[in-house]
Amino acid sequence: MASPSRNRPTRGRRGRQSKDRRSNRNLIQPGGYVVAECISPQRKRQKNNSKDNSETPSKNKDQHNEGAETSALPTTPCIVRVRGKGTTENTNSSVKSVMDVRRLAAKDHVKDDVRMDVESVFSLVEGKRSVSSITCAIIDAVMAKIEDGFSRLAEKDIYSIFDDEELLFDDTDSFDLDRAVKSTLRLSKLNDKAFQGTSEARMYPLFRDFVMLVAFYVQSHMNSLSAKQRTGAIKASPHLILPYSRGDFKPEGSDDRTKIDGALALCKLSTHVGLQDTPKYKDVFAIQELKRFKRDSQEALIQLVEYTRNIYANQDHRRFAWGLTMCGTEIRCCLFHHDGVRVSPAMDFADIGGIRRLVTLLVNWSFCSLDRLGYDTTMERIQESNGWEISCPNHDDKSKRNSFTRYVTTGTIMNASALFGRHTRCYLAKRKDGRSDESVVIKDSWSLPRDLKKSGKQESVVPDESHNLRLITEKFSGKDVGFSYPQAISSGSVKFKDGSKYVTDDTSVIYGYDDGDKEHMYRVHRRIVITPVGHFIKSVRNEAELVFVLADAMECHNAILTECGLLHRDISVNNILVIRNEGENSHRRPVRGLLIDFDHAISVDQQVSGNGARSGTLPFMSIHNLEGARGKRTALDDWESLLYLICWLATFGINSDDRDDMDDEMVEEIDKWRYADMSTIARAKRNHMDSFANFNRLVLSGFQDKYEMLRVLAIEIYKALFQHKGCEGAFHGERTTATASNKYDLAINKIVKNMQGIQSHSSQPGSDPLISRNNYKSQILANLLEATRDAATACEKLLDIISKEDDKENASN
C-alpha cells in the first residue's frame, strides 16, 4: 500500500538542542517489568552520564495500576504520580525537569500517603525483638552518662563549646566521649534564642557525635559480656549504627545531582566506633534530612521521600527502608513501606524523655535481626562476582512443604527504583547446583494476594502472574505452537527462616498489620523463575526485525486469549522482548517476539464490569483504560496499545542509533501521551484518532522517514480499530462530511434539539464508537491479526530481496 501524503514540514536532524530538553525526553520513558537487557547498576550510571542521562531499560515502574494496586518503573523517573492508594496519574503537564517531577511526586506522597505520629514505627523494632536485660542496661548507661554530663556542664561551658570551629567540624575518625556528651547538650539547646537557626552544616556534626555515643556503649557493653551471656540474652547478632563523616554530599549511586544532609550505616559489632567513609547508596541504612526550624518538618519529609528511592534502586535485598528528619530539636523516625510512609511522634532533644526515646530506637536497631531492619535474608551477596545467591520456592515440589532451589545471578535486569509499589526486581541467573546451564529470569516482587479479600478490596480476584504463567505453561507445553511464550519453571511465596521455622514474607510479618486490616494494602513477597530469556525490544537492528517481533508477540497474545482466556492488559515497550533465531532460515526471520509480564493479565470471565479499574503503562494505555471506563476491557484495548507503541517507536526511534533522527517539533503531539493527567491524555488520543486526517497530520507526520513498513502497519491497525464500518472515529456523537454548505448544520441541529428538550445523540448509550466497536470485535480482531501477519510476510520478502542483492554484490567482487 502506498503511504499517504504526509503534510509534514521540512524536517532535518535534531541537531543540538537544549540539554534539559534532551535529558528530560531521554529519561522520562515508559517502563515495564521483565526485560533481558543485562546491565549492571554501575554500567547504567556510566551510560546515563555519557549520554545525557539517556534511557536504560530498567520500571519502574511500573506505572501499573489495578484499582488499589500500583507499582512503579525501575529507572524511569516518569511524571506519573504513583500514590500509595493506587491511583496512577500525571502531576503536571508542563513539567520540563525530572527533578521537578520527583519534587511534585514527593509532595503528593507526603500529602496522601503519610501517617503521622504512628507508634507502630517503634513497635516494629520493639514488639518482635527479644527485649533483654542487655538492651535495657545499655539504654540506662547512655542516659546516665548524658544526664551526668548535663548536670556537670555549667551554662558558660554550653555557650563556649559552639564557638569552637575545630570541635564542630572535626572530621577525624576518632570518637571522643566527652565531646559526644557536649554535642548532645548542644542539640538540646537548639531552641534557645542564642542558638535558633543553627545551620544544617553545624547540626550534623553534633548529631553524628550523639549516634557514636550510643554505638560506643553498645559495643563496650557487648565486649564486657561472655559468649554465653550474649547468646542467652538476645536472639540476633548485634550491629552498630554509625554515622558517615560528611554531611551535605551526593552518595555514589545517585541518578541525579541531589545531595543528602547525612546518613547512617549498619556496621558489624567489631567495627571501630568512628566516622564512616563517604557512603554509597548501596551501603546506606537510613538517610537523614536536617532543617533548622521545627516548622520545616513537612519540607524535610518531602526531601526525605525524594531521596529514599535511591536506597531501593541500589540495594537489591532491601524490603523496606528507614529515614530520619531533624528539625530544630525534633527528630522523627520514618518507615517507608510498600504503600506509604509511617512517621513517628517527635523525639525532642529539649526533653530528656525525647532523648531517651531516640537512644532506645538506636539501641533497638542495633539488636534487630536483619529482616526486621528491612533486609532480605534469602539473598546472599557473592563478593567475587558482585552478584547474588537467591533462594527461589519450588511450587511443583509437593513432597516437601518448604522446598527451594538456589540460583546465582549473572546480572541485574531491572531494579526497584520506585519508592512505593511492587518493588519489582529482575535478575538473569543460573542454577547454583549446575544441573542446568540454561539461563533464566528471576522476577521478585511484592504483589497483592490472588484472594482480594485479604487486601480489603471489593473484587474477589486480582491478577496473579504465578497462576497465569502456570496456566500458560500447562496449556502450551510440549506443543508446536509456532510462537514463543513465557514459561514458569517455578514460583511461589518467599519464605525466610525465623529461628527454627519458615515464615512467609508478607506485610503482616513486617509491619504488624494482617490481612484483615482494611486500612493498609496487604502484599505478599513472591518470586517466579521464568524462561526463555529475551532482550530489550530496542535491541532490534532494523525496522523489519521490529515488525517480526511485534507480529509474534500479538500471535502469542491472541493464542493466550483464545486458549487460556487471559487478557494481557499491558502491551508496552518493556513487555515485548526479542529472541534471536539461529539456523538455516535465520536470514529470513532473524528474530522472534516474546510477550511477557502477565502481572496484570486477568481471566476474561473474572473481569468485574463497572469498577473503572486501570492498568497499563501510561503512554500506551487505551482511551477507555485512561478514562476508567465502566465497561470490561477487551482485546481491542490491547491492540490499541500496540498502535500507540508502534507510533511511539517510529517517532522516537526503534533503537538508540535512531534517536538523533527524531524531529523535536514533530514529537509535541505524541508527548501529550505522557505529559498530562489521564483524562487529558485520553482527550488528546481521542482527537488524534478521531479521523484519518487527524491521525496523519498529528501522529504519522512525526514518524521518522526511514520507517516505511511501520507507517503502513500503523495505518492498517488504525483503520481496523477506528475506521471499521459502524464505529468510525473516536469522539461521541453524529458525524457528517463537512462541506461549504453544511459545515454548520450539525451545530444548528444540536442547538435546536437542546431548545426542544431533546437529548443529543452524543449522550445516548452506545454513541461512543469505542464502545460500539465491541459489536464488531471478532471481525476487527481478524483484521488486526491479518495486518501484522501481512507486515511480517512483507518484511520476509524485503529481507529476501536484500539478501539476493548482497549475494550479487559479493559474487561481482
Side-chain angles (χ1 to χ4, degrees), residues 236-260:
S237 299
H239 314 274
L240 293 183
I241 304 295
L242 292 172
Y244 287 99
S245 57
R246 292 176 55 192
D248 191 30
F249 61 93
K250 174 187 171 183
E252 181 180 324
S254 173
D255 60 359
D256 54 38
R257 299 178 181 177
T258 56
K259 296 180 179 180
I260 62 176

Side-chain angles (χ1 to χ4, degrees), residues 600-614:
H600 292 277
I602 194 169
S603 171
V604 292
D605 297 327
Q606 293 176 332
Q607 280 200 90
V608 179
S609 180
N611 65 350
R614 302 170 182 177

Side-chain angles (χ1 to χ4, degrees), residues 79-252:
I79 45 183
V80 170
R81 167 180 162 197
V82 185
R83 296 170 52 182
K85 298 178 181 124
T87 303
T88 306
E89 59 184 88
N90 272 9
T91 55
N92 194 320
S93 61
S94 61
V95 174
K96 303 234 175 156
S97 163
V98 172
M99 296 296 296
D100 292 340
V101 167
R102 291 173 177 162
R103 178 74 175 174
L104 289 169
K107 286 183 177 180
D108 284 335
H109 288 318
V110 171
K111 176 183 177 182
D112 299 317
D113 305 321
V114 170
R115 295 183 62 208
M116 303 294 291
D117 297 334
V118 181
E119 293 291 336
S120 59
V121 172
F122 298 116
S123 67
L124 183 61
V125 293
E126 294 173 354
K128 299 202 175 183
R129 179 185 56 78
S130 176
V131 179
S132 67
S133 58
I134 292 180
T135 55
C136 294
I138 294 172
I139 295 168
D140 290 340
V142 175
M143 293 307 302
K145 182 66 177 178
I146 292 174
E147 291 173 9
D148 179 64
F150 281 17
S151 63
R152 285 189 299 102
L153 289 171
E155 194 71 17
K156 60 180 181 180
D157 293 326
I158 298 172
Y159 288 88
S160 65
I161 291 173
F162 312 111
D163 294 329
D164 189 346
E165 296 292 325
E166 183 178 356
L167 175 63
L168 281 175
F169 299 101
D170 182 7
D171 286 338
T172 60
D173 189 33
S174 61
F175 166 70
D176 185 281
L177 184 58
D178 289 336
R179 187 184 69 181
V181 175
K182 292 177 181 179
S183 294
T184 304
L185 179 58
R186 170 65 175 87
L187 287 172
S188 71
K189 298 298 181 181
L190 288 178
N191 290 341
D192 289 8
K193 191 172 183 179
F195 299 129
Q196 280 186 354
T198 299
S199 69
E200 296 166 11
R202 288 174 175 262
M203 290 169 64
Y204 182 65
L206 300 173
F207 182 75
R208 72 188 185 191
D209 280 347
F210 170 78
V211 174
M212 287 191 290
L213 172 65
V214 177
F216 171 79
Y217 274 91
V218 170
Q219 187 181 69
S220 299
H221 192 88
M222 293 306 297
N223 289 341
S224 69
L225 299 177
S226 65
K228 184 177 181 180
Q229 287 175 313
R230 292 187 190 185
T231 56
I234 56 175
K235 289 183 178 180
S237 299
H239 314 274
L240 293 183
I241 304 295
L242 292 172
Y244 287 99
S245 57
R246 292 176 55 192
D248 191 30
F249 61 93
K250 174 187 171 183
E252 181 180 324

Side-chain angles (χ1 to χ4, degrees), residues 524-537:
V524 180
H525 189 188
R526 289 196 176 107
R527 286 198 182 114
I528 312 174
V529 181
I530 308 170
T531 189
V533 175
H535 300 279
F536 187 39
I537 196 171

